[in-house]
Amino acid sequence: MLCAPPQTLRPSPRRHLPPPPRCSGSATPPPSSAGSIRRQVLQPEGRAKLDPRSDRDFYAFPRLVKHVDDGFLATLTDLYRERLQPESDVLDLMSSWVSHLPPEVRFRRVVGHGLNAQELAKNPRLDYFFVSDLNREQRLELESASFDAVLCTVSVQYLQSPEKVFAEIYRVLKPGGVCIVSFSNRMFYEKAIGAWREGSAYSRVQLVTQYFQCVEGFTQPEVVRRLPASDAAGGKSPLEALMRLFGQANSDPFYALISYRNFKPM
């Protein structure tokens, strides 16, 4: 793991996202229930983490590493190439120093969000970025219906209030906008929520499905799976399972859930 001592960060003014003015509290709310939270998915114990420290403290030092293997990342980039439109506005939620976007595709705007400003400042695909802890404050200081796509890569397992975060994702997406949530079986175990730590691959897919379903207006999520050959054939040995647990497997399993605000464009 490549960790550097904390440094004084001087991000370029053109790349750091200034907080927009807050909406007036006197605005009339829309009559539609779209975007509202229909039910709570997690029980209190399912939201708990083994490490009670603030996430901002945990991520105080930049981690300039890739948290999944090259096979996973290649599959993710191919999926983005297939589902993201050129010249679109993209929000990379819970991002890092790399966004895994197709290098040949030009986007109108890529905004990054994360917990470590030094990591985000090193991400060459970001036009702007901002830092916030979604487990402390779920509200995104972004305009409603302003993004064509919201991405969340190998980070959904750390959300303690996923219902509110997914409602915010819905709010900032344009009608027909897409949200892609990808994950594998790796995690910072002590920072993952209980419902994720104690779950199986199947239950984690179902959990993210429920995150989308609990917000009024998201389409039924599409599930994309790419499993190592031994997993798909049911022939994973105990040694392979142990190696994968410690991040030494030849290939990480790939899961992505894809959902749209209101409708899937033709």
Side-chain angles (χ1 to χ4, degrees), residues 19-215:
R22 290 183 177 271
C23 297
S24 169
S26 60
T28 303
S32 171
S33 62
S36 63
I37 298 172
R38 297 192 287 191
R39 63 181 182 278
Q40 296 298 309
V41 175
L42 298 177
Q43 298 297 320
E45 60 272 18
R47 304 178 195 273
K49 298 187 177 187
L50 297 177
D51 183 349
R53 287 182 297 162
S54 163
D55 288 344
R56 289 292 294 271
D57 293 339
F58 183 80
Y59 292 100
F61 296 98
R63 290 177 167 86
L64 303 181
V65 298
K66 297 176 181 177
H67 298 286
V68 283
D69 67 14
D70 289 342
F72 180 102
L73 296 177
T75 301
L76 181 62
T77 299
D78 284 343
L79 181 63
Y80 289 163
R81 186 176 287 114
E82 175 188 337
R83 299 301 181 105
L84 303 181
Q85 297 300 314
E87 299 301 326
S88 58
D89 295 301
V90 177
L91 172 61
D92 191 2
L93 202 63
M94 305 176 78
S95 184
S96 181
W97 64 286
V98 59
S99 290
H100 314 296
L101 295 167
E104 77 281 4
V105 179
R106 291 180 59 86
F107 298 99
R108 180 165 43 237
R109 176 181 55 142
V110 180
V111 175
H113 156 270
L115 279 171
N116 188 284
Q118 289 174 274
E119 289 185 11
L120 295 169
K122 290 183 178 294
N123 189 327
R125 294 306 300 266
L126 301 183
D127 297 299
Y128 310 98
F129 67 86
F130 65 103
V131 174
S132 72
D133 183 353
L134 292 179
N135 287 330
R136 293 291 181 89
E137 174 56 61
Q138 292 78 49
R139 175 76 178 182
L140 298 171
E141 295 294 340
L142 299 167
E143 293 182 6
S144 299
S146 56
F147 289 94
D148 300 288
V150 176
L151 315 175
C152 182
T153 304
V154 295
S155 296
V156 69
Q157 60 267 32
Y158 307 120
L159 290 175
Q160 291 180 287
S161 299
E163 303 92 342
K164 293 181 180 179
V165 172
F166 275 66
E168 278 294 282
I169 291 173
Y170 181 93
R171 182 183 66 80
V172 302
L173 277 173
K174 301 174 185 178
V178 64
C179 178
I180 303 177
V181 178
S182 59
F183 57 91
S184 188
N185 56 3
R186 298 201 199 192
M187 69 189 89
F188 291 118
Y189 191 80
E190 68 276 25
K191 299 301 289 186
I193 63 170
W196 196 274
R197 292 194 316 270
E198 298 164 8
S200 63
Y202 174 82
S203 70
R204 290 166 185 164
V205 169
Q206 296 305 306
L207 192 63
V208 179
T209 297
Q210 291 181 66
Y211 292 168
F212 281 114
Q213 291 176 337
C214 80
V215 177

